[in-house]
Amino acid sequence: MTSARRPVLARFTPPQIIAALYLLGILLGTLALHLPGVQTGVNRLDSVKLLFTATSAICITGLTVSDLGDGFTRFGQIIVIVLAQIGGLGIVTFGTLVAMLAGRKVNFTERQLLREQISALNVGGAVSLLRIILLYTLVGELAGAALLALRFVPQFGLGDGLYYALFHSVSAFNNAGFVVMPGGMSQYVQDPLVSGVIALQIILGGLGFLVQLNVLTHWQNPRRNRLLIYSKLTLATTAFLLVTGTLVYLVLEWANPGTLGPLQPAGKVLAAFFQSVTPRSGGFAPLNTEALVSGSLFLTMALMFVGANSGSTGGGIKTSTFAILMGSAWNLISGRTDLIAFGRRIVPENVVRAGTITAIYTLLVSGAFFALLVTNPRLDFTHLLFETISAAATVGLSMNTTPQINDPGLLILTVLMYLGRIGPVTFAVAINARRTNKSLIDYPPERDILVG
């Protein structure tokens, strides 16, 4: 008897399909940006730069080679923000939504893909979680737009004000970092409404849907819905990074005439808090990044490297990875063996995975940085390092370096944004055609190896 043919998707692993779909999304986005009426004629972009822009949108990074508000028409800006919305939800998530709206059932393979994309805890709950995510995203973005409209409509008029409010709400909630407003975000550095709404949306997008859903259900019924250890770990790490970042920025930039110096005390605190939020993958620049002191630049790059939570719209090595690494280091120093978090033991597999992710991510950033130094030898060392980490972590902050990078450098950053979005480990697994199997041979252990 002949066995039934396997479905096409079933022949590939979820990481392979996700990697391929993001490549397809980038290609289609690039073609869309080549349509007539997309660019204004001011500093028209060639195909390499349009590829870079489409990748930046799909991978929700926010890096641009020219001002989005000046170089793109309203039609072009809408294409960019739609690409960012698709990239923020996740291409697999968006595709599943289209299938559900078309009345088609989601099969098991597609549920596996969806689980991989949104970090659902099990395959069966992936579709149910998708419905909640879509509703939550819609409500969050519309609520943010309504609040921003309170400031933008009086300033820009009804039509432009509502457009700017919706555009920047979607951009912030998806951690995209695109700005089309005349004057940029720096004009609102002391505005608690605009800065507060944008910062809150960046934080929510960076927490990830799973954590937010867990917190909401726990708040509604603490006895029935316990707060997951993962949620506690990421919330604690996020709070630590936000508070520490704010305090350090305040100390370092308080008297800096190019950043916090001219602001009122309350404005300094708000700006320092926003500056602590945005490197975690937000990409909005409340302060002039080039004017930051060296210590603040280092802190910004460190925060970008850590990034946001797993399953979120942010990049970086992720907060849980950072927390596990720091906990493991403390265990080594204190002579302990088990890593304990909130009364639970972290399994060794997660410790190894955290170290592996950090090692791969470090090698990726180092390799891309070296390639940028080779292809752009006239550009500043620090500026290129900042740009490299920003692209890898899909943040979008820049020291005004992106427009100065040549085409080979832009292609390097394009690949880096793609790998940063899907994750270097996902890509490494995707290019390995073999499915992971446990070795049938149990090798004897070797302890006489010097480490460190």
Side-chain angles (χ1 to χ4, degrees), residues 39-83:
Q39 300 189 62
T40 61
V42 178
N43 298 323
R44 291 188 66 85
L45 306 182
D46 58 24
S47 294
V48 171
K49 294 178 176 62
L50 289 177
L51 169 65
F52 179 88
T53 304
T55 306
S56 183
I58 282 287
C59 299
I60 47 176
T61 304
L63 287 174
T64 56
V65 293
S66 67
D67 186 271
L68 204 61
D70 294 333
F72 286 79
T73 63
R74 188 64 58 87
F75 173 56
Q77 294 170 11
I78 291 174
I79 291 178
V80 170
I81 201 63
V82 168
L83 291 175

Side-chain angles (χ1 to χ4, degrees), residues 1 6-7 17 28 53 58 89 110 167-168 172 188 206 248 289 292 329 346 350 365 388 399:
M1 295 179 62
R6 298 169 62 195
I17 299 174
L28 295 177
T53 304
I58 282 287
L89 282 174
E110 292 169 330
F167 184 99
H168 293 94
Y188 304 106
V248 174
T289 307
L292 294 173
I346 306 298
N350 281 339
V365 170
T388 303
M399 299 180 70

